[in-house]
Amino acid sequence: MSFFFEVLLGGLLAGVMYSLVAIGFVLIYKASGVFNFAQGSMVLFAALTFVSLLERGISFWLAFVLTLLAMVALAWTIERWVLRKLVNRPPITLFMATLGLSYIIEGLAQSLWGAQVHGLDLGINDEPFEFQGMLLSQFDIFAACVAGVLVLVLSVFFNKTRTGIALRAVADDQLAALAVGIKLEKLWLIVWTVAGFVGLVAGLLWGARLGVQFSLSLVVLKALPVLIIGGFTSISGSIVGGLIIGASEKLAEVFLGAYIGGGIENWFPYMLAMLFLLVRPTGIFGERQIERV
Amino acid sequence: MTARNPLLTLEHISLSFKGVKAITDMSFSVAEGEICALIGPNGAGKSSLLNVINGVYQPDDGIITYDGEIRTAMRPHHAAERGIARTFQNIALFKGMSVLDNVLTGRNLKVQSSWLEQAFNVGRAPKEALVQRQKAEEIIEFLRIQPWRGSLVGGLPYGLQKRVELARALAAEPKLLLLDEPMAGMNRDEKAEMSRFIVDTQREFGTTIVLIEHDIGVVMALSQHLVVLDYGKKIGDGPPEAVRNNPEVIAAYLGTRH
């Protein structure tokens, strides 16, 4: 039984790592109703910039701040040269734009900093420690705490402030949002900056785990089932979704793997997401849109 | 002259989309506190004109004077800041939000506290939230939509949605209110009710209103000033009775059956 809980807890903690990536998607989806295909590239861009600065002898916090500034500059550029031109276009247009952006950012990151693999040491011990007879990863616990703080801060920001309400308004109807005096440009800049910040945090944690390299941008694929289960519009949903995915994939791997073969972990989340789509297409916390036909 | 000061003056406004003229050399004034109706067949340029007034479109040519300020280019949120609120022909509400939240977004520009104050609910934020809420509730009561204040807007019947949209516009305490077909698709009772709300708005708040409406009976009863458009040109302008007897208007619009 203790083994079961060890697997469960390990899975939950791993799931939080997915949530970190998913939150970035939720932010942009809330502001423009669009799945931001470029989120993975932003994670890569942030991690690569940070680690390259670090390797040039810049201190941790200075590198963090500089990378953050780079993310703000990136957000500004995207808003100014892409989003602003696409006000009031259908979501599919915006989605295609993020697809293009994804490749541009990826290319930019690698032409700036090179394509080799970098190790990233955040100074957190990744050796497991024992807790009540269970082996847990210190690193995962650290990541979970970071995610917790991040969610708390973002929830307060988006639920209690005018920016949060404005965000929901913009996602629903851009023209009407403009007419009530919401500054779309400013809002988009804020959201993309915050998404860049979340990307940076996710990039650091994932980078420390997998190494900073191109495949970091593929981590986002695991965020997809998280989003489907948690709902595209809810920050807390992406945490719950992450926990469900993390726990279920590990449990499936360990307990089902013995019967139907290993490697379940890789496809189980997608199957779970598909089942969710059948039962609850908006996800657990997603907003239910009522559309009159 | 008993004429009040003009709040809005358009002079020689022209607008075209890729060479297709939508509005040609349009000039007229809207006096402060009046209800001015724009009428004309479909495609006459009425909605385009509203979009020019609130900055969605920039005219190719011409001068707009609003509230004593001459403006050339203006963006919609700037228009909102200067007290222009509007509703849309195809309802543009925030469907995933409640009626109250929709009305509250209308008060977006009245918020003074910073996001930090709001996040921690300190400083100006708590008192302000109370005032905002109170103002929103006043408007909701004014338009008699209290029973639905907590409902999601997307699920409400069409007529009510139109009213919520009006409520959101009124929440901004506008000086100039633009209504794009506020009664489209309504039955007689609903139209009468909406007309009352519009007249009450003018009386109670002194709001200047420019509206587009097809029902000529409603327009005659409601407005003090009529502007008739046809093919992007102005063909009639004046008090309703005078316009009604203008032969050109009769030929283009009033005389024809729809």
Side-chain angles (χ1 to χ4, degrees), chain A residues 84 87-88 153 156-157 160-185 190 287-292, chain B residues 54 56 75-77 80-81 84-86 88 91-98 101 105-106 108-111 113 115-116 118-120 152 154-157 161 168:
Chain A
R84 197 177 288 188
V87 176
N88 260 321
V153 171
V156 170
F157 182 65
K160 299 278 182 220
T161 70
R162 175 167 64 138
T163 313
I165 297 180
L167 199 68
R168 288 165 59 197
V170 169
D172 266 1
D173 197 309
Q174 293 177 2
L175 203 60
L178 283 169
V180 296
I182 289 170
K183 290 192 182 97
L184 210 55
E185 291 95 356
I190 293 175
E287 276 162 33
R288 196 173 287 232
Q289 290 278 4
I290 303 155
E291 210 64 66
R292 280 181 172 251
Chain B
N54 105 301
V56 175
R75 302 190 62 83
H77 71 76
E81 275 163 14
I84 302 179
R86 69 170 296 181
F88 295 83
I91 300 171
L93 284 165
F94 309 125
K95 292 201 169 61
M97 295 191 199
S98 69
D101 280 346
T105 56
N108 176 51
L109 289 167
K110 305 284 174 196
V111 177
S113 58
W115 64 270
L116 273 174
Q118 292 160 27
F120 295 105
L152 280 189
L156 295 179
Q161 289 196 11
R168 184 181 63 193

Side-chain angles (χ1 to χ4, degrees), chain A residues 187-250:
Chain A
L187 202 68
W188 272 343
L189 179 62
I190 293 175
V191 170
W192 279 74
T193 300
V194 177
F197 171 69
V198 173
L200 171 60
V201 174
L204 293 188
L205 292 170
W206 275 102
R209 165 145 294 176
L210 302 175
V212 177
Q213 54 177 322
F214 177 75
S215 67
L216 211 52
S217 62
L218 301 177
V219 163
V220 296
L221 291 180
K222 266 291 171 61
L224 211 56
V226 172
L227 290 168
I228 290 171
I229 290 175
F232 274 88
T233 49
S234 166
I235 291 174
S236 8
S238 51
I239 287 291
V240 174
L243 293 175
I244 292 176
I245 290 290
S248 61
E249 73 173 14
K250 291 289 182 297

Side-chain angles (χ1 to χ4, degrees), chain B:
Chain B
M1 282 288 282
T2 52
R4 286 160 293 187
N5 292 329
L7 178 69
L8 175 77
T9 306
L10 308 185
E11 291 167 272
H12 310 294
I13 294 293
S14 293
L15 175 75
S16 59
F17 299 106
K18 300 216 162 80
V20 180
K21 286 243 166 210
I23 300 170
T24 313
D25 195 24
M26 179 82 56
S27 303
F28 68 93
S29 278
V30 179
E32 211 165 329
E34 75 174 4
I35 297 181
C36 170
L38 305 178
I39 62 171
N42 285 327
K46 306 181 298 291
S47 287
S48 299
L49 202 56
L50 283 199
N51 284 333
V52 166
I53 295 172
N54 105 301
V56 175
Y57 298 148
Q58 307 299 331
D60 305 330
D61 217 349
I63 301 169
I64 300 174
T65 314
Y66 166 72
D67 200 16
E69 185 191 46
I70 294 175
R71 37 166 271 216
T72 42
M74 180 188 251
R75 302 190 62 83
H77 71 76
H78 184 207
E81 275 163 14
R82 298 277 284 118
I84 302 179
R86 69 170 296 181
T87 66
F88 295 83
Q89 188 175 351
N90 311 310
I91 300 171
L93 284 165
F94 309 125
K95 292 201 169 61
M97 295 191 199
S98 69
V99 169
L100 180 63
D101 280 346
N102 264 279
V103 177
L104 275 171
T105 56
R107 299 200 54 81
N108 176 51
L109 289 167
K110 305 284 174 196
V111 177
Q112 309 250 306
S113 58
S114 69
W115 64 270
L116 273 174
E117 284 172 300
Q118 292 160 27
F120 295 105
N121 203 23
V122 294
R124 287 169 292 185
K127 196 173 161 220
E128 192 176 66
L130 212 67
V131 173
Q132 299 288 9
R133 173 77 191 249
Q134 207 174 352
K135 291 275 186 189
E137 294 283 4
E138 275 170 28
I139 298 290
I140 286 174
E141 204 179 302
F142 178 70
L143 294 179
R144 308 218 179 90
I145 42 182
Q146 303 101 306
W148 303 278
R149 68 149 77 71
S151 317
L152 280 189
V153 165
L156 295 179
Y158 183 80
L160 270 175
Q161 289 196 11
K162 282 266 180 201
R163 243 195 274 173
V164 175
E165 210 191 6
L166 178 61
R168 184 181 63 193
L170 285 181
E173 301 173 31
K175 220 180 262 176
L176 175 62
L177 180 61
L178 311 173
L179 305 175
D180 198 343
E181 301 200 16
M183 287 164 252
M186 288 187 171
N187 64 32
R188 245 177 62 191
D189 289 347
E190 288 172 324
K191 277 182 184 173
E193 202 174 20
M194 189 52 118
S195 298
R196 264 205 310 281
F197 287 133
I198 294 172
V199 171
D200 284 351
T201 301
Q202 182 201 25
R203 268 196 210 131
E204 193 121 331
F205 309 113
T207 316
T208 309
I209 299 170
V210 175
L211 62 89
I212 295 174
E213 184 48 52
H214 281 292
D215 187 325
I216 207 70
V218 169
V219 166
M220 290 290 170
L222 204 59
S223 53
Q224 289 102 43
H225 180 186
L226 216 57
V227 175
V228 191
L229 275 63
D230 196 20
Y231 295 108
K233 293 199 180 79
K234 186 176 85 173
I235 57 170
D237 183 359
E241 312 76 43
V243 171
R244 202 197 332 222
N245 299 323
N246 177 337
E248 205 183 341
V249 173
I250 294 171
Y253 188 56
L254 300 181
T256 54
R257 291 198 161 273
H258 287 272

